[in-house]
Amino acid sequence: VTVKGQRHEQAYSFRLEDKGAIQSIKFNPDLSVLAIKRNSNSVEFLNFPSIPSVPTSPRSPSSSMATTATILQPDTIEYSQLSKTKASKLYDFNWLSDKEIVFVTDLSLEHYVLSAKQRTLRQLKTHELSNIHWQLFSREMNLLLISAGTPSGNSLIPFSFHKTQQQQLIKLPKFEVDLPQVTNLRSNSTASNAANQSTSKRCNELTERDCMLANIYGRSYLFIVRQLFRVAGQGSIEVVLYQIEDDHKPAQKRHILRLNLHGRCALNVVDNLILIHHQPTTSCYIYDIEDKSTSQYDGFQTIHDPLLSQLSIQPVNVNWQLLSSTMPTAPATIELYSSNWIVFLPNVIIDVKMGCLWYLLTNLDYLLDIIPDRLLLIDILLRRTSGKASILTLLRTLLTNITAPVQIDSNNVSNMSSSHVLDLWIEMIDRINRVFIENSPNRPLLDQSDIFSVLSLFSTIASISATGSSTKFHRSLSITSNDTTLDEHDQNHSLKFATSVVIEYIRSLNDYNISVQYFIYELLVNLLVRNNQFFQLQQLIQYQVLADSLQLACLLLSLSNTQQPTTQLALDMLKRLTNANEEIVEILLGHNFIIEALHFCIGHLPITRTLARKLLEAAIKSDELLSSTASNQKILFYTVYTFFEEYFQRTTTVSALAQSTSNNEQKDELEMFKSLFNLHFRHQESDVPNIQ
Amino acid sequence: MVSTDEHPSSKISLVDYFIYCPLFCRKEGQEEQKILYYHPSTRELDRKIRTIGYCEGLVKFTETFTCEQSCESIHFQKSRLLFYLVENDIGFAMTLHVPVVEQKKDDKCFLEYLDERINDRVMLPILKMSYRYFALQYGTISALIQRTSVENARNVLKEYFDKFIECHLHRMIHHATFDSSFFGIHFISLDKQIYLKFQAVLRRWELQFASLNETVFIYRNQLVWSGLNQDDTTLIYSFFRLYYWPHLKIMPHTSTIQYLSVDSCANQFNSSTNVTSQKFYLGSFSFSYSVLVLHYDSFTSFCIFHNDNDLLDNEKTSTATHLFRQDLEIILPSFYGYLQRKHPIPDVAVKNAYYNKVNMAHSATINWHKDLSNPMSSVMNTLAEDLQWFHPSGEIMVKRENDPWIIAKRSDRRELLVMINQKGANLKQIRGNVKAFFNGIFFFDASIVDLDKIKQILSTQFNSILLFE
């Protein structure tokens, strides 16, 4: 018997000796032990050498084979474990972890620890239960669900276990699933035909086939599919969700998914979306239990209508993306929703006939086209793990509606007004930031650089407007300025829109107390500056909409020119930062404000000889500039020098002894200035008696 | 040369106001053509022509000696002549009467003219502003002449300025102070969150209309937001202060929509939404805009449209306005909550006037008509004028016998006058005050200075701007 295993990307194959029909076969999670059930009261185990981790593994010789399927060599010795309660019938077994296994018999649960080296199993605990019908197991949810007791099978006992904290199987409170249609059907079935009676029989008991376990939004749910027949030949499907809680309360009925169709159907859960595959109509119905717009709460449970109806699985996607790697040549035509399909939760579809196994994925970008309500759409996308890219696309198309309206006309939302788009933007960005702040798992977190990638499309319109205004200049010389002013107004409008969008983003970030990163500010400043809105920039800084930062101050400095003095803004900002005093001095010196710089130094900086040297150099330079226009006799140099001379004379008496050695070196720095000073001013010493 | 016929008074008053354009006099004997407007019109023609000729000659004469600034004022013993050239060759000029006091010397009565009472820096902006108000409503004079005729332009000017001088100019001259000369802007003091909310409301409103260029949004008399450039903002803002604020002050809780128009000011609050719009000229005065004014609960917004297309649809306008109002109502509670937050009580001993040329921000706690005696205010005016000589910074401190200390300070483009009413304070103490006083930004409607703890408080107050010492 050749068996192919498919796990993750890698496929493994190995051979087993034929020892009778295999009823059930399961690997433990790390693929080191294979459990095989061939009869109704024992399980055989087979050890495997440790599986190499998929990409590279020097230890395993088998990985050198470049085939997709790795050949595994099983241990030759099998060992088995019999069920303790001899009389019972072994239904199935489940691996709780690499070393733990649970047997489910019709009378008990048997919990074993396996020791692969010694090839023995040690029993941990046995839960005696009467009348077990069937079991459901989900390792992802740490849950084992047992149907036991009442003959209809609707009495369910969940067991939870810990993946990390081992050797515990906790019994959770049992609960009963109601079968409301039973009585209803009985009264009906008295008059109905035999076929209907057979279905009513099936409805009378809860079978394993109608139940599924899945995790949605971090909560464990039991899904129960029900076919409802009100009139013969018509009916509807209902999926009831029971939430299984950890805190020792019985499971509660929380959600009901309604579908007004009848016939075979199957369930998948992908990315917290519930997909009902309806076989007769070969289409999918998608439900999102957190969506408010398609649901109503009746006080006890929430009833949902499909969020999206009659969608089909994309065949192309089946071919190229969902196809398992073990199928080398996939036929071009795959019968979708064929009767050969077996569907496993969460997202596995197996076609028995073709031997294909698929993982079902959602193509979120497609949603952008089929959900016209943008706000609903962003809510849906914000609940999807992989929604980020689609959200960015959504935002981008939304904004290009206004900034470049020509580009999109196939879209049904192309003629939206800018005010409407802004409203949408405000809502969306608030929701995005809320999700970002809540930071819950499996939600797309869009940080500022993500949004910036969208917002950066504004830089293109800004540059367009720059060229636009220059052409306008040429045109207005020759042609009447009528249409150019119109152009200008259009430009003005889209730039206004752009600034609004950025400001709203900043507002939203502020509302959620997220500190805004510099590149967002930079974008806004550039938008305003290109639009020649210096006064508006001033107002925004004045109200601290743009928070102070060294980078922003530098940007403002670089923008400063004679018409638009942003230097004042920059200097104020540096002062508020309180740790940028040296930059302030540099700027003041750069503007030849020597005396002001000196005053500032006295108040805010420790006076050192290096500082003195810097100021003196600047003073000399500035004196040279002045001397061309006025009869300046190195007045700045004189002032600065005398200040420092006096200052150092005062302070050296105190500190000179302490650091005399280093002082000598530093003194040399000022030596040059001293001689310069002497050259110019010493002979006037009589005028300035206070200098030595 | 300009003598006054009126009884000499101790107050500054307007003698005449005229507009002329030398280009219209092609030949000798046609000098009358130069006159575009003359107030008072009763003055004999000969004198009008002589006055204008004098101005013209003076401007031409001084132009040859100075390369940068043309002559703006002439000080006579009995009068002051101020002029302002616009649109290359049109001159605006006004003559002011210099106040007099009667003095007795050797038993003889004579009049002493107090030249220092008139300050050019204070009066010139009034003359300039009077032109800009006109241009706001009619565009440039040269464009007006081109569009129609000289004769028509004369009529328009006469109609406008007769009214303007009667209603406003006299009062402006009379109340002119160093403070009013800035035509500065009072910015509202808000925190970031509320400010951003206002932004959201305004921007939602603006994007409703394709032809809406910019909005100027004012709360009471404080500017919240202006999308216009600085010059236009100043113009619209002072226009608002001149024509609207006196009415709004009295009845603050009204809400109307209307097009901006000066004539309807008297009874504007009775008029319903009217449909004719008046053209206004902004920027280079070459393009006209329709201006819609909204009043709502102490808020005034001027919405500048570049055409009427959006406004013709009355229904759309009113739904948009309705939305705007709803948006505003949402944020009003937090806004008023913010305003009611307790501000420290201003110290009565310290008063100030602050002006920043960069953003036209202006605030003052000095009440020029209450706090200051006449000589004090002229000292302040002189100090303010002297500040212009400092570059980039400087400081003067003055104290007269029993008056408070006055400190005038300039720091690059900021100007500050502080008046400290502290008995027996010496120069050193006062200097300490001022140093610390300069720590905040223009939001110092709550400026407090306790003289004893002056350093400590001031260092916390003005710490957000850099002032040169």
Side-chain angles (χ1 to χ4, degrees):
Chain A
V1 179
T2 305
V3 182
K4 261 182 192 165
Q6 207 271 353
R7 185 178 173 82
H8 305 294
E9 286 93 35
Q10 193 80 359
Y12 305 101
S13 66
F14 53 87
R15 276 171 189 280
L16 287 176
E17 286 175 53
D18 190 356
K19 288 180 182 174
I22 293 170
Q23 288 177 357
S24 175
I25 182 160
K26 282 175 189 172
F27 259 120
N28 69 343
D30 70 355
L31 305 184
S32 62
V33 181
L34 180 74
I36 306 156
K37 181 188 160 215
R38 292 193 175 103
N39 54 47
S40 64
N41 65 354
S42 72
V43 175
E44 277 95 55
F45 294 93
L46 197 56
N47 285 1
F48 279 78
S50 60
I51 300 292
S53 58
V54 179
T56 52
S57 173
R59 281 186 302 153
S60 164
S62 60
S63 72
S64 59
M65 296 164 69
T67 53
T68 48
T70 311
I71 310 290
L72 296 175
Q73 288 298 326
D75 209 0
T76 46
I77 306 155
E78 285 189 9
Y79 51 100
S80 68
Q81 173 71 44
L82 284 170
S83 173
K84 284 286 163 201
T85 41
K86 292 265 161 63
S88 66
K89 196 178 146 207
L90 179 65
Y91 281 125
D92 209 350
F93 55 92
N94 301 296
W95 288 100
L96 298 186
S97 67
D98 293 344
K99 292 208 167 87
E100 286 176 79
I101 193 160
V102 167
F103 289 0
V104 180
T105 68
D106 58 353
L107 291 174
S108 64
L109 295 185
E110 292 164 22
H111 189 186
Y112 296 97
V113 173
L114 175 128
S115 164
K117 268 184 192 162
Q118 291 160 10
R119 302 198 174 100
T120 54
L121 277 90
R122 182 165 57 87
Q123 187 174 21
L124 280 176
K125 201 174 176 185
T126 307
H127 295 268
E128 298 286 344
L129 293 164
S130 59
N131 233 346
I132 295 181
H133 297 288
W134 45 265
Q135 61 128 7
L136 280 177
F137 175 75
S138 161
R139 189 179 295 110
E140 287 71 32
M141 293 157 64
N142 302 331
L143 210 65
L144 173 67
L145 192 73
I146 303 294
S147 164
T150 54
S152 55
N154 64 344
S155 167
L156 302 172
I157 305 159
F159 287 86
S160 83
F161 57 92
H162 265 278
K163 255 181 223 161
T164 48
Q165 195 186 329
Q166 292 189 349
Q167 306 187 343
Q168 257 192 321
L169 197 60
I170 303 157
K171 188 175 171 184
L172 295 175
K174 88 174 194 185
F175 64 99
E176 292 202 357
V177 178
D178 51 341
L179 302 160
Q181 71 275 35
V182 174
T183 51
N184 192 7
L185 265 167
R186 276 202 183 130
S187 59
N188 268 356
S189 62
T190 48
S192 62
N193 55 24
N196 211 342
Q197 269 172 3
S198 72
T199 53
S200 73
K201 244 179 218 164
R202 220 188 69 205
C203 286
N204 276 336
E205 56 185 311
L206 190 67
T207 59
E208 192 176 352
R209 269 170 50 185
D210 295 331
C211 296
M212 274 145 278
L213 286 172
N215 245 340
I216 296 176
Y217 295 119
R219 295 200 177 97
S220 312
Y221 286 101
L222 168 70
F223 288 66
I224 294 170
V225 182
R226 285 180 191 160
Q227 301 272 355
L228 298 182
F229 294 96
R230 292 203 178 81
V231 190
Q234 287 181 12
S236 61
I237 296 167
E238 234 180 34
V239 177
V240 186
L241 274 72
Y242 286 86
Q243 189 191 337
I244 299 164
E245 283 159 297
D246 284 338
D247 52 355
H248 300 283
K249 270 188 231 157
Q252 294 281 324
K253 192 200 250 186
R254 297 281 183 203
H255 302 278
I256 296 171
L257 314 180
R258 278 204 180 136
L259 182 64
N260 279 324
L261 290 166
H262 63 102
R264 266 189 76 180
C265 66
L267 281 183
N268 266 152
V269 173
V270 182
D271 206 359
N272 295 328
L273 286 174
I274 303 157
L275 284 80
I276 300 182
H277 306 291
H278 188 243
Q279 209 244 329
T281 56
T282 65
S283 55
C284 284
Y285 296 84
I286 299 179
Y287 295 82
D288 184 347
I289 57 167
E290 281 206 359
D291 186 64
K292 300 276 184 293
S293 67
T294 55
S295 61
Q296 47 191 26
Y297 183 66
D298 68 355
F300 300 100
Q301 55 251 337
T302 323
I303 296 160
H304 300 269
D305 290 324
L307 184 67
L308 297 165
S309 303
Q310 296 190 330
L311 293 177
S312 169
I313 296 175
Q314 223 175 351
V316 184
N317 271 2
V318 174
N319 273 333
W320 298 109
Q321 289 179 9
L322 306 177
L323 196 63
S324 82
S325 55
T326 51
M327 273 299 290
T329 52
T333 51
I334 292 173
E335 193 197 346
L336 293 171
Y337 304 98
S338 83
S339 49
N340 299 323
W341 278 17
I342 300 174
V343 173
F344 287 103
L345 286 181
N347 63 342
V348 180
I349 296 173
I350 294 175
D351 190 315
V352 185
K353 216 172 179 181
M354 285 162 60
C356 290
L357 187 145
W358 293 287
Y359 287 122
L360 192 66
L361 298 176
T362 48
N363 181 5
L364 293 174
D365 280 344
Y366 185 53
L367 293 181
L368 301 183
D369 294 333
I370 55 169
I371 301 181
D373 184 346
R374 307 273 105 177
L375 289 179
L376 174 63
L377 181 56
I378 193 117
D379 275 345
I380 295 167
L381 290 177
L382 276 172
R383 287 193 289 263
R384 305 283 80 82
T385 319
S386 54
K388 191 164 167 172
S390 302
I391 291 172
L392 291 178
T393 321
L394 170 65
L395 294 178
R396 203 171 285 125
T397 43
L398 183 75
L399 295 183
T400 35
N401 273 327
I402 303 304
T403 56
V406 203
Q407 289 178 7
I408 21 139
D409 39 10
S410 59
N411 210 333
N412 52 349
V413 284
S414 59
N415 48 5
M416 282 201 283
S417 72
S418 49
S419 63
H420 185 58
V421 172
L422 183 69
D423 289 350
L424 286 177
W425 171 262
I426 292 172
E427 269 302 314
M428 288 182 177
I429 213 73
D430 271 348
R431 289 173 195 195
I432 287 170
N433 282 332
R434 194 183 309 133
V435 169
F436 184 79
I437 272 298
E438 283 166 1
N439 198 6
S440 42
N442 293 330
R443 296 291 177 99
L445 302 182
L446 285 97
D447 63 13
Q448 291 174 45
S449 49
D450 292 327
I451 303 292
F452 180 76
S453 71
V454 174
L455 292 178
S456 56
L457 68 92
F458 288 142
S459 60
T460 57
I461 48 154
S463 62
I464 288 167
S465 90
T467 57
S469 65
S470 68
T471 54
K472 179 207 134 211
F473 185 72
H474 292 298
R475 276 153 101 202
S476 58
L477 293 174
S478 52
I479 320 167
T480 48
S481 62
N482 213 348
D483 61 30
T484 52
T485 49
L486 268 177
D487 269 6
E488 200 188 350
H489 287 311
D490 276 356
Q491 260 339 316
N492 180 11
H493 197 74
S494 66
L495 275 166
K496 186 190 285 296
F497 171 75
T499 14
S500 306
V501 163
V502 182
I503 288 179
E504 278 311 314
Y505 182 54
I506 293 174
R507 185 194 58 74
S508 179
L509 288 173
N510 272 312
D511 282 354
Y512 288 100
N513 284 324
I514 307 170
S515 65
V516 187
Q517 285 178 14
Y518 167 69
F519 48 77
I520 303 283
Y521 289 143
E522 190 185 23
L523 180 73
L524 180 59
V525 170
N526 285 333
L527 273 175
L528 289 170
V529 167
R530 286 192 196 163
N531 206 11
N532 233 353
Q533 292 200 312
F534 279 92
F535 191 52
Q536 285 65 43
L537 176 62
Q538 272 174 12
Q539 293 178 55
L540 291 175
I541 291 175
Q542 186 173 311
Y543 290 102
Q544 308 267 310
V545 172
L546 303 171
D548 300 339
S549 73
L550 194 58
Q551 281 168 307
L552 188 57
C554 292
L555 178 66
L556 290 172
L557 273 178
S558 70
L559 290 170
S560 188
N561 60 39
T562 42
Q563 290 146 17
Q564 302 298 344
T566 50
T567 313
Q568 191 192 59
L569 290 171
L571 282 172
D572 289 348
M573 194 175 282
L574 290 172
K575 165 124 195 274
R576 287 192 294 264
L577 288 171
T578 66
N579 57 358
N581 291 338
E582 276 166 36
E583 283 84 351
I584 294 178
V585 173
E586 289 293 337
I587 295 161
L588 293 178
L589 292 179
H591 284 78
N592 287 325
F593 294 169
I594 308 296
I595 302 299
E596 285 72 25
L598 180 59
H599 276 297
F600 185 81
C601 288
I602 296 167
H604 296 92
L605 281 174
I607 289 170
T608 61
R609 284 170 190 275
T610 336
L611 185 69
R613 182 179 167 173
K614 192 196 275 176
L615 283 168
L616 284 166
E617 274 169 0
I620 292 171
K621 213 185 279 173
S622 166
D623 273 332
E624 278 165 14
L625 283 173
L626 287 171
S627 61
S628 59
T629 54
S631 59
N632 175 292
Q633 283 155 354
K634 298 203 177 291
I635 184 77
L636 287 175
F637 175 64
Y638 179 83
T639 319
V640 176
Y641 184 83
T642 47
F643 168 78
F644 280 115
E645 186 168 58
E646 207 182 318
Y647 179 84
F648 286 123
Q649 268 174 8
R650 246 190 305 126
T651 52
T652 41
T653 49
V654 189
S655 60
L657 291 169
Q659 37 174 298
S660 55
T661 48
S662 61
N663 243 5
N664 281 340
E665 287 164 22
Q666 286 175 341
K667 201 138 203 169
D668 293 338
E669 284 188 45
L670 302 182
E671 211 55 49
M672 187 190 87
F673 298 106
K674 194 168 191 175
S675 52
L676 190 66
F677 184 80
N678 289 338
L679 181 70
H680 284 284
F681 297 110
R682 276 314 157 189
H683 61 274
Q684 304 168 345
E685 211 164 319
S686 54
D687 301 334
V688 274
N690 59 331
I691 303 166
Q692 288 197 332
Chain B
M1 70 159 264
V2 183
S3 61
T4 46
D5 300 334
E6 295 97 37
H7 182 74
S9 98
S10 62
K11 283 181 175 169
I12 307 168
S13 59
L14 183 73
V15 179
D16 48 16
Y17 184 102
F18 48 92
I19 303 160
Y20 63 92
C21 177
L23 295 182
F24 292 114
C25 169
R26 299 235 166 70
K27 280 185 242 162
E28 215 168 314
Q30 286 184 346
E31 285 87 354
E32 193 191 341
Q33 301 286 316
K34 291 183 204 170
I35 308 170
L36 292 176
Y37 173 75
Y38 204 103
H39 169 90
S41 54
T42 47
R43 196 140 298 170
E44 62 268 31
L45 183 65
D46 197 35
R47 217 182 110 189
K48 288 181 189 173
I49 292 171
R50 265 196 297 139
T51 319
I52 287 170
Y54 181 82
C55 289
E56 201 187 324
L58 205 74
V59 170
K60 281 272 150 59
F61 178 72
T62 51
E63 261 173 13
T64 52
F65 290 97
T66 170
C67 44
E68 286 163 12
Q69 262 184 315
S70 61
C71 176
E72 286 185 318
S73 70
I74 307 159
H75 295 218
F76 299 105
Q77 189 197 13
K78 297 176 183 172
S79 63
R80 177 77 54 89
L81 179 62
L82 301 162
F83 35 80
Y84 175 48
L85 293 181
V86 296
E87 301 168 34
N88 294 329
D89 42 23
I90 294 170
F92 273 69
M94 64 178 183
T95 315
L96 297 176
H97 165 73
V98 175
V100 289
V101 279
E102 252 176 86
Q103 296 256 351
K104 272 193 179 174
K105 198 181 177 187
D106 306 336
D107 293 338
K108 271 170 104 181
C109 274
F110 73 96
L111 293 172
E112 194 192 343
Y113 288 88
L114 303 170
D115 185 63
E116 75 278 1
R117 291 280 174 84
I118 302 185
N119 190 309
D120 290 346
R121 198 193 155 183
V122 172
M123 292 305 173
L124 265 172
I126 295 177
L127 183 65
K128 291 179 180 172
M129 223 50 194
S130 69
Y131 165 70
R132 293 195 64 196
Y133 286 148
F134 174 80
L136 176 67
Q137 292 175 64
Y138 295 94
T140 55
I141 295 175
S142 44
L144 183 69
I145 292 171
Q146 268 175 18
R147 266 207 315 272
T148 57
S149 64
V150 187
E151 216 37 59
N152 181 55
R154 281 203 184 98
N155 289 336
V156 171
L157 286 168
K158 181 167 170 53
E159 198 189 337
Y160 175 82
F161 277 102
D162 276 353
K163 200 170 171 188
F164 180 77
I165 290 169
E166 190 198 317
C167 298
H168 301 289
L169 194 60
H170 284 302
R171 200 170 44 83
M172 282 164 80
I173 289 169
H174 187 239
H175 292 292
T177 58
F178 164 68
D179 226 25
S180 68
S181 71
F182 295 129
F183 288 96
I185 296 165
H186 296 276
F187 286 96
I188 196 167
S189 137
L190 281 179
D191 74 350
K192 179 163 70 173
Q193 303 282 355
I194 297 173
Y195 188 73
L196 280 169
K197 280 181 192 156
F198 273 115
Q199 284 279 330
V201 172
L202 284 174
R203 286 172 185 281
R204 270 163 59 98
W205 156 258
E206 281 181 2
L207 290 173
Q208 304 254 327
F209 303 99
S211 59
L212 177 56
N213 262 31
E214 298 300 347
T215 310
V216 178
F217 193 62
I218 298 166
Y219 169 70
R220 293 181 63 80
N221 63 346
Q222 295 162 301
L223 186 74
V224 180
W225 166 255
S226 164
L228 296 170
N229 67 32
Q230 192 165 314
D231 274 358
D232 290 340
T233 308
T234 321
L235 184 58
I236 290 279
Y237 179 75
S238 54
F239 186 87
F240 163 81
R241 303 253 308 179
L242 185 67
Y243 287 101
Y244 283 76
W245 180 231
H247 303 285
L248 283 176
K249 225 174 3 186
I250 310 162
M251 40 172 100
H253 292 283
T254 45
S255 38
T256 55
I257 318 167
Q258 63 176 49
Y259 290 94
L260 178 60
S261 75
V262 182
D263 306 60
S264 65
C265 276
N267 56 353
Q268 56 175 305
F269 297 109
N270 306 328
S271 64
S272 57
T273 317
N274 52 2
V275 272
T276 51
S277 67
Q278 199 173 334
K279 295 290 175 202
F280 282 83
Y281 297 83
L282 286 167
S284 56
F285 300 117
S286 56
F287 195 80
S288 67
Y289 298 88
S290 312
V291 180
L292 182 76
V293 187
L294 302 170
H295 296 290
Y296 175 69
D297 192 28
S298 316
F299 290 96
T300 308
S301 68
F302 289 77
C303 311
I304 291 111
F305 290 85
H306 62 254
N307 62 39
D308 286 343
N309 296 352
D310 279 326
L311 296 174
L312 292 177
D313 186 353
N314 252 332
E315 201 171 311
K316 189 189 169 192
T317 315
S318 60
T319 46
T321 319
H322 186 67
L323 269 177
F324 181 54
R325 243 178 240 178
Q326 280 183 332
D327 281 353
L328 263 185
E329 269 164 19
I330 293 167
I331 53 172
L332 281 185
S334 59
F335 172 70
Y336 286 127
Y338 179 83
L339 288 187
Q340 277 162 7
R341 222 174 282 169
K342 275 197 179 156
H343 292 297
I345 307 139
D347 190 322
V348 279
V350 178
K351 300 213 158 139
N352 61 55
Y354 168 93
Y355 174 67
N356 182 0
K357 207 176 177 182
V358 171
N359 62 358
M360 308 293 285
H362 170 236
S363 74
T365 51
I366 302 177
N367 185 333
W368 291 75
H369 302 291
K370 237 198 248 164
D371 297 343
L372 297 179
S373 63
N374 241 359
M376 270 282 286
S377 104
S378 70
V379 167
M380 279 200 152
N381 287 343
T382 317
L383 281 178
E385 201 167 15
D386 288 345
L387 281 181
Q388 306 310 307
W389 296 100
F390 295 134
H391 179 79
S393 65
E395 198 172 298
I396 317 169
M397 297 185 204
V398 182
K399 182 174 160 63
R400 297 200 324 173
E401 193 64 22
N402 287 316
D403 287 344
W405 275 96
I406 301 171
I407 300 108
K409 185 172 169 76
R410 177 170 171 176
S411 160
D412 202 11
R413 289 163 195 259
R414 289 192 170 96
E415 287 171 34
L416 183 81
L417 277 178
V418 184
M419 194 171 77
I420 300 176
N421 215 338
Q422 185 190 29
K423 290 236 166 74
N426 61 28
L427 189 61
K428 205 177 167 193
Q429 283 174 301
I430 293 298
R431 198 178 140 65
N433 280 359
V434 178
K435 234 181 176 176
F437 201 32
F438 269 115
N439 273 326
I441 207 150
F442 25 80
F443 307 142
F444 60 122
D445 43 339
S447 63
I448 27 153
V449 184
D450 182 333
L451 286 181
D452 299 330
K453 304 182 241 165
I454 203 100
K455 278 230 157 177
Q456 170 196 349
I457 295 163
L458 293 181
S459 58
T460 55
Q461 270 281 316
F462 280 79
N463 49 15
S464 60
I465 58 172
L466 175 76
L467 286 151
F468 306 142
E469 285 162 14

